[in-house]
Amino acid sequence: MSTVRIGVIGIGMIGEEHIRRCSQVLSGAEIVALFDLNTDRANDVIAKYSLDAHVAESAESLIHDPAVDAVFVTSWGGTHAAYVLEAIAAGKYVFCEKPLATTVSDCERIVAAEVDGGRRLVQVGFMRPYDSGYRDLKARIDDGTIGEVLMVHAAHRNPSVGDTYTTDMAITDTLIHELDVLRWLLNDEFVSVQVLFPRGTSVAHAKLKDPQLVILHTKRGVIADIEVFVNCQYGYEIRCAVVGEKGEVALPEFPAPVVRHGGAISQTVLMDWKKRFIAAYDTEIQDFINGVSDGKLRGPDAWAGYLAAATADACLRAQISGEIEPVSIISRPDFYKH
Ligand code: NAD
Ligand code: ISE
């Protein structure tokens, strides 16, 4: 395939970002169709990036448009499953932002549809495995530098969230990245989880318990503690330290100049998620474009989306029960054993 013609459903923050990178940064793709519930928003983005594209009448017409080779699903999480299933039915490649679906049963439906179709068509927007920091960590784990892995200490902090963000979203919207990347990093599976609620911050609204501490146990006995703190106020920060028998590897700080001024040494912290993984998003989307072009997707698959959702589901049960909850996983279809 020469140029991959892409249709985008959901032109919000990340939808626009992926359109910008396809039209201004990456190669081999063009944006040809857009759909958003808010038509003005789609038209504004066409004008802003001078796209040679049209606004589709519906998401379904965009998916079935013969002039669209591949679909980006970047709408709200609850809408993903229906569009991914429609794309699979149409035989179209689909890049779906996280989460693949908001329920485990919808993820199972997507997995079953892809297996039935007999062709890999789905890539999930888990971009952290494309991040150079995480890739360096994985190399040090895989080459034995730190010996057998014993523990992981991680944190996912946002300065603030809106008042529609609830306690469960700390798992399904935020922690979901760690659920995917740690499994990939450790090459291990999660078997059980516990969620603890420390003293809550006074700035979270009444429907949100914040922060939360998630304890994950893996098949090989590794324990990972992950802090999710979405009203930390001071900035956006992702931490990950992997402790082994012989040493530790940790994510580097996001690069920022060290300023000496007025009797102090200081370093700026990012205030939101957009720049933290900007290079990883570029690599992720270029990999999708290349995969569509040569007929072989390589990025996180629907099975990875399912595993993250099934682990998130156990976390949600643990939030309510306060107990250690098992992670139950269906048996992996041979289709995903690659
Ligand atoms: P957003 O609210 O900024 O944008 C969502 C857009 O989708 C809005 O313009 C809305 O009108 C549109 N939309 C909603 N339902 C629709 C439907 N049924 N059909 C067409 N358009 C619809 O949200 P966002 O921050 O861009 O997040 C979108 C998705 O991307 C979410 O699933 C989110 O979890 C994910 N996301 C991923 C990352 C990442 O780091 N990978 C970062 C941010 C967001
Ligand atoms: C957002 O939805 C994302 O997916 C970002 O990557 C994440 O780090 C942020 O916390 C979420 O709000």
Side-chain angles (χ1 to χ4, degrees), residues 53-165:
H54 71 279
V55 177
E57 279 183 9
S58 65
E60 290 71 21
S61 68
L62 179 148
I63 292 167
H64 290 279
D65 184 343
V68 167
D69 302 313
V71 179
F72 284 177
V73 177
T74 47
S75 46
W76 294 319
T79 67
H80 292 180
Y83 297 146
V84 172
L85 286 166
E86 194 72 39
I88 294 171
K92 297 277 172 88
Y93 289 102
V94 55
F95 172 86
C96 178
E97 258 310 333
K98 43 66 58 172
L100 175 59
T102 46
T103 65
V104 178
S105 55
D106 274 347
C107 287
E108 286 178 17
R109 264 193 280 282
I110 290 168
V111 161
E114 192 174 42
V115 172
D116 284 352
R119 273 175 74 208
R120 171 141 187 227
L121 294 173
V122 181
Q123 178 168 330
V124 183
F126 287 131
M127 74 297 179
R128 291 201 195 169
Y130 290 98
D131 173 65
S132 59
Y134 278 110
R135 294 184 87 87
D136 288 346
L137 251 64
K138 187 162 174 62
R140 293 306 173 99
I141 294 166
D142 290 350
D143 71 11
T145 303
I146 63 162
E148 289 299 320
V149 173
L150 310 174
M151 294 176 284
V152 179
H153 307 296
H156 189 147
R157 296 186 184 151
N158 292 63
S160 63
V161 286
D163 52 14
T164 54
Y165 187 104

Side-chain angles (χ1 to χ4, degrees), residues 9-16 18 35-38 41 59 73-80 83 95-99 125-127 172-173 176-177 236 273 277 281 284:
I9 301 170
I11 321 296
M13 279 190 288
I14 199 121
E16 177 176 345
H18 291 336
F35 176 73
D36 195 285
L37 295 178
N38 178 348
R41 172 84 188 133
V73 177
T74 47
S75 46
W76 294 319
T79 67
H80 292 180
Y83 297 146
F95 172 86
C96 178
E97 258 310 333
K98 43 66 58 172
F126 287 131
M127 74 297 179
T172 56
D173 192 55
I176 196 98
H177 282 293
Y236 177 76
W273 53 269
F277 292 106
Y281 294 121
E284 167 195 52

